[in-house]
Amino acid sequence: MRKVTLEGPIRICDCLAILALMLMTIPSLLAGEITGTVKWQGKVPEMKPISMAADEDCQKMDRDEIPRNESLVLGTDQHMANVFVRLKSGFAEKVYVPPREPVVLDQKGCVYIPHVLGLMVDQPLKIRNSDGMLHNVKTRSRKNRPFNLGMTKNKLETTRTFTKAEHMITFKCNVHSWMTAYIGVISHPFFDVTERDGKFSITGLDPGTYELEAWHERLGTQTRTVTIAGDESVQVDFTYTRPQKK
Ligand SMILES: [Cu+2]
């Protein structure tokens, strides 16, 4: 068996390395977070199945049921999916390093999956065509250069990055009019998108006062002012309801 000793210069190096690791870890352990849920309040509207009659290949795909209109997606207890929650102000104005791992936007079953997603400036977005049939990705953006990309059965994957923060960029398919996705490109890592459980979590926050915003494609934005005093978890819940008729 190899004998390991901690004597002489190695020991000092080890101590310094452990100290450095502790210094890097302690701030994140002491960081605060904002968590919460987003719920729909009131009568649940009936969301009709998407009409895919324009493309027989989409319509006859093997699946349990045709997806429903995605402009309101609820889970159990009326929790809302596809709400983009982000810090709008209060965070340190600095350059945040984006993750190297790509975020994936898939074209599967003739819909975009996910319908709403977020990524950081310069983080790769992998656009996948799991359907292996003709789709077209056209972006509607003002700050980043728009693109219009045919994805044939021979082009199943491509990667793009966005150099500027933009909230939100609309993705549409020219072949299938119902296919829409919304992408938030954010300059910092403090954002989340709800799934059907309606939950969001924004972590790694220094003490301070923040403006927190929830965004929904049809129902608009809501903001809250949230103060984090230290290593605490502050709960903030959002509620959306049917807009009042004017
Ligand atoms: Cu398409």
Side-chain angles (χ1 to χ4, degrees), residues 18-34:
I18 291 166
L19 188 64
L21 191 65
M22 283 173 70
L23 287 173
M24 282 192 296
T25 312
I26 285 170
S28 62
L29 287 176
L30 292 179
E33 62 172 17
I34 304 171

Side-chain angles (χ1 to χ4, degrees), residues 163-216:
T163 56
K164 295 194 173 78
E166 188 166 358
H167 175 276
M168 307 284 289
I169 299 176
T170 305
F171 280 53
K172 296 279 294 178
C173 175
N174 281 348
V175 185
H176 307 109
S177 59
W178 62 86
M179 284 180 70
T180 309
Y182 300 94
I183 314 282
V185 183
I186 308 297
S187 64
H188 57 73
F190 309 118
F191 60 87
D192 202 1
V193 180
T194 61
E195 297 183 14
R196 282 173 185 259
D197 61 4
K199 287 184 181 164
F200 68 87
S201 168
I202 294 175
T203 58
L205 298 177
D206 292 330
T209 298
Y210 299 96
E211 191 181 8
L212 180 74
E213 182 195 76
W215 171 96
H216 183 267

Side-chain angles (χ1 to χ4, degrees), residues 105-107 126-137 147-160:
L105 176 68
D106 201 357
Q107 297 156 104
K126 197 173 272 188
I127 304 168
R128 191 172 285 156
N129 181 5
S130 287
D131 285 336
M133 56 186 276
L134 179 65
H135 286 294
N136 176 277
V137 182
F147 58 84
N148 188 355
L149 188 69
M151 300 215 34
T152 65
K153 60 181 181 182
N154 298 318
K155 190 175 182 70
L156 300 181
E157 214 165 82
T158 187
T159 299
R160 289 285 187 278

Side-chain angles (χ1 to χ4, degrees), residues 96-104 119-126 159-161:
Y96 293 90
V97 178
R100 285 187 188 171
E101 306 83 60
V103 172
V104 177
L119 80 170
M120 283 179 67
V121 172
D122 289 330
Q123 183 178 5
L125 173 68
K126 197 173 272 188
T159 299
R160 289 285 187 278
T161 52

